[in-house]
Every structure is written in structure tokens, then in C-alpha cells.
Amino acid sequence: MMSLKLPYDLEEEILSRVPWKFLAKLRCVCKLWNSLILEERLNEKNLSFHMHSYSGEHRFILKDSGPTISAVGIEEQKNVVDPPSLIVQDFTLIKAQPCNPIRVYKTVHCDGLLLCVMDNQLLVRNPLLKETTWIKCGSDFHELDDAYSLGYLSHCDYRILRFRCASNSRNRPSRVEVCEVASKTWKVIDNISFDWFLSVPLSILSLRGTPYCIGLREDHRAFVQSYDFYKERFQPIDDLPFSYDEMNPIALEIYKGDRLSVLEQCHKTRKICIWVKHWLMLTSWTKLVVVDIPEFPLIYPRLTLLSTNYYFDKNNRLVITCNDTDMKGLSIIRVINDKEFQVIKANEGECRFSFLCSYVPSLARVPGFSKQDTSRIRWRKRRFN
């Protein structure tokens, strides 16, 4: 049997087109593939190739009133009209002493990495690779006032944005800080004035390493705000494509990897409209979807702190989270057509959820994480016909 060795560039190109969940399993094929799969260049190619397609790996990160953190996803059935089942993964953080569980207040997502916010420390983790790094921060954290986002200048230079607008519940002064994850050093950003405040609930996400959020001006005009890590300043992007009403649920998400998407639901008619806008092109908002089902649940009650998340599955159906009316449970709703929708309970108990975010696994490395020990990996023998 003759062995065939493919050119390195060809192997890299082939692996970059493999979905994440299969790519992770291929690391044990040989040492070359293990090092190749963990390289930054291949990860960037993989993210770029799959950003326009649904990978089936979308998850919602749920946090209940206790220490439990779960990643909940939908497993599609062969018959599209059959109710989907839930896939649940336990992402709970555990200390050496289990009697003292780690209290996580919120979490944010960026290209497969999760930023977990605690009292006086932060954790950046990749649950797929099981890589983590701890970062100390100030002890003046307040879960209602301080906003966090994870982004990057490049895929090897991740940054954490922490800021507090001038308008907050405890009348504290505004503040902006940026942390370089690899060195774990913080920098206070001066000369930033706030003529806006964050909408409630907080909708903050990261698109191509840039943080985005929904801001409100004093006249209650809503707009999309971004933070530029290069220029170290906030930049308004565009007004929302609708008149802001604090009674109407709104949400900000990423659409197909390169577009911003905003959702609004009318609290009276329950009608949902979703608009999209390219993150780079100077185009206006385009209406993408309208869901007009009078029996559709209200996504969340007025002035809740729990954000709404949504995405489109491989059949281009809208999947969205929804709070129960008593705020003790959470459901995942899938829109089947213009008249039907399915409701899947995300929890069986009477737990209150303190935060929620979207999550898509990837092989992005955690900056500052020591080189992985591969001595315990059982390598497979490669054979080619």
C-alpha cells in the first residue's frame, strides 16, 4: 500500500471547510493535524467559510438563579413538522470546593469564546477546547450598570471592553476600560463623554471583533453604537429602522456572520419585524422577516433585564427565546410558517434566569492559555489508498 502525502496548503484548505464539531474530532488523527487545526490561520479560514451557512451548532447559554450554566441547542428531526428535541450541555464552573459555587452574573460571546463576569474577576473560556484564562478586575462591579463585551484587534489579540454610561442606577461617574487578554492588563480610556445610555435589557454582541449595542439618546431615539478598539472610542452606526417604544421588546443579533440584525415585537399585536444591515457597507436597513401571528407570545415583559436571542436555522426558520409570563421559565420558539409556531420548554423547573446569550462553538484559542499537552492524545495511524 502506497502512502500519499498531500501538500500542506491543500490539507489546510480541506480542513478549513470541515464543520467545527467534526474538526475537533480530527485532532487525534496525527500530530500534524492537531497543530494545524489549532493554528490561527486555519481558524480564520474556517470562520470565514462557515459564516454564511447554518452549521447546526447554534446554542443559547442559560444561567439559572443558582450556579448552573447550560448550553441549550435544538436537534432537528427528519420530519420538519415534528417538534425538535433539545441538546443540553453543562457549562457550570466548579471550584476545588464544591460547597462554594462560582457566582456568574453575565456572559458574552465572541467567535466561540465566552466571557464570564463575576464579582472581581473575569473568565475567558473556550468550552469546546476546554481552554480558560482568569483575569482580575476592579471590585466596583454592579450588574445593572456595567456592560461588558469581548472583541479583538486580531484573532491573537483579544480585548475586553467594560464601560458604564453616565446615566446609571447608582449615579456613579461614567467609565471606560479595556483589557488586553493575553497580558491581562487594563487601560482606562479617557476623554469619552456619554450623550447616550444603554437600552434595557442590555443587548451587546461582537461582530468580527467589534462590540455593538443598542443605545438611547435623551430624546429616546434608539441607535446602534459600536466601539473601535483601534481608535479607542465609541462610534454611532445608524438609527434603528423603527420608532423606539419602551413597551416593545427589541433585540440585536448577528445574521449570517457579516450583518447586524435587529428585532422588534409590537406588544399589542405581537407582530415581529426583523431588519438586517451589513456591518461594513454604507447601506440602509432592509426588512428581512415579518411574523404576524396574533397568538404569538410576548417575547419578554416590560423592563426585564433578560435579553432576547434569535437565529435562523438551516431551513431559514426563525428560532427565538421567550420568557414565560411569570418570569420563572424560558421557552424556545421556532416559527414553522406564517401561521404556525412550535414552543419547546428550555427548563423543567421553576428557575429564574439571570442572563442569556447566543453561542456558536469554534476552535478559537484563548490568549494566554499555555500550550496544550498532547502527550495523552492517542494518535490514529493515517492511511491513504
Side-chain angles (χ1 to χ4, degrees):
M1 186 179 292
M2 217 177 140
S3 68
L4 175 65
K5 183 171 178 59
L6 297 176
Y8 184 86
D9 291 344
L10 181 57
E11 282 188 297
E12 181 184 80
E13 186 64 28
I14 293 172
L15 291 174
S16 68
R17 297 169 182 264
V18 178
W20 304 301
K21 61 181 179 180
F22 301 114
L23 199 59
K25 296 177 181 179
L26 293 177
R27 291 174 54 200
C28 63
V29 170
C30 66
K31 292 183 178 180
L32 174 63
W33 277 20
N34 179 65
S35 60
L36 183 61
I37 289 170
L38 295 178
E39 281 187 1
E40 177 192 347
R41 187 171 66 172
L42 186 136
N43 183 53
E44 288 184 12
K45 280 187 176 183
N46 189 273
L47 287 171
S48 177
F49 182 78
H50 292 288
M51 69 168 56
H52 295 289
S53 61
Y54 173 76
S55 67
E57 288 296 309
H58 202 110
R59 301 286 186 266
F60 296 116
I61 302 296
L62 308 181
K63 168 70 171 65
D64 64 20
S65 55
T68 305
I69 304 175
S70 303
V72 178
I74 290 181
E75 185 176 19
E76 301 288 343
Q77 305 297 326
K78 291 183 178 179
N79 190 342
V80 295
V81 298
D82 291 339
S85 58
L86 291 183
I87 304 170
V88 181
Q89 296 172 277
D90 187 8
F91 281 5
T92 305
L93 301 174
I94 301 175
K95 278 185 176 180
Q97 293 123 3
C99 59
N100 296 320
I102 296 176
R103 170 67 170 168
V104 178
Y105 291 99
K106 61 180 69 176
T107 184
V108 293
H109 169 253
C110 176
D111 290 356
L113 300 186
L114 293 176
L115 172 65
C116 300
V117 180
M118 286 149 275
D119 283 314
N120 58 358
Q121 58 185 343
L122 308 174
L123 175 68
V124 180
R125 62 190 300 210
N126 185 326
L128 182 63
L129 296 180
K130 296 180 172 58
E131 295 183 352
T132 60
T133 186
W134 292 89
I135 298 172
K136 292 183 178 180
C137 60
S139 58
D140 60 341
F141 166 78
H142 190 265
E143 59 180 314
L144 299 182
D145 297 337
D146 295 354
Y148 287 83
S149 184
L150 180 64
Y152 53 82
L153 291 174
S154 68
H155 277 94
C156 59
D157 188 5
Y158 280 84
R159 305 292 172 98
I160 297 172
L161 171 66
R162 175 186 180 182
F163 68 95
R164 179 172 61 238
C165 299
S167 175
N168 57 74
S169 64
R170 297 195 295 174
N171 294 321
R172 296 186 298 167
S174 59
R175 184 179 178 88
V176 180
E177 299 171 288
V178 173
C179 176
E180 183 182 293
V181 176
S183 64
K184 303 181 181 181
T185 56
W186 287 89
K187 178 181 179 180
V188 177
I189 309 300
D190 298 319
N191 301 322
I192 292 184
S193 59
F194 286 91
D195 58 353
W196 56 277
F197 56 96
L198 284 172
S199 66
V200 176
L202 305 182
S203 293
I204 302 177
L205 54 82
S206 180
L207 172 58
R208 291 179 175 253
T210 299
Y212 291 88
C213 62
I214 296 178
L216 293 175
R217 302 195 188 278
E218 292 183 358
D219 59 1
H220 277 241
R221 282 191 302 112
F223 67 103
V224 176
Q225 179 81 277
S226 71
Y227 183 81
D228 191 321
F229 284 112
Y230 288 99
K231 299 178 180 178
E232 296 184 337
R233 68 182 185 186
F234 288 98
Q235 293 182 320
I237 301 301
D238 198 357
D239 289 344
L240 294 185
F242 50 84
S243 299
Y244 175 75
D245 183 342
E246 66 176 7
M247 299 292 290
N248 291 347
I250 61 174
L252 187 68
E253 272 292 356
I254 298 172
Y255 179 69
K256 291 192 174 180
D258 63 350
R259 276 161 279 189
L260 292 170
S261 171
V262 63
L263 174 151
E264 183 197 31
Q265 182 185 34
C266 177
H267 70 281
K268 295 179 180 178
T269 65
R270 306 298 173 90
K271 181 179 179 179
I272 293 176
C273 295
I274 297 178
W275 291 264
V276 296
K277 176 184 176 66
H278 197 281
W279 71 287
L280 186 60
M281 299 179 184
L282 298 177
T283 57
S284 57
W285 293 95
T286 302
K287 186 175 287 188
L288 179 68
V289 169
V290 175
V291 179
D292 194 0
I293 305 176
E295 300 81 18
F296 203 93
L298 189 65
I299 296 173
Y300 61 75
R302 179 176 179 267
L303 297 182
T304 179
L305 297 177
L306 185 60
S307 62
T308 288
N309 299 98
Y310 61 93
Y311 68 93
F312 291 88
D313 66 13
K314 63 182 179 182
N315 296 308
N316 208 31
R317 295 186 299 249
L318 176 64
V319 180
I320 187 171
T321 60
C322 176
N323 290 289
D324 293 346
T325 54
D326 57 3
M327 290 299 293
K328 290 184 178 180
L330 186 135
S331 299
I332 297 176
I333 301 176
R334 185 173 67 169
V335 179
I336 303 301
N337 51 47
D338 57 358
K339 295 181 179 179
E340 297 178 282
F341 62 91
Q342 295 173 331
V343 179
I344 310 104
K345 292 293 294 183
N347 70 305
E348 298 297 333
E350 295 296 321
C351 297
R352 292 182 179 271
F353 289 94
S354 58
F355 65 71
L356 179 70
C357 79
S358 295
Y359 165 69
V360 179
S362 81
L363 295 172
R365 306 299 304 273
V366 174
F369 185 80
S370 58
K371 187 176 180 181
Q372 187 182 17
D373 179 14
T374 59
S375 60
R376 299 180 64 184
I377 295 180
R378 298 180 62 183
W379 307 105
R380 296 175 184 172
K381 188 173 181 181
R382 298 175 67 189
R383 294 182 179 178
F384 302 92
N385 292 328

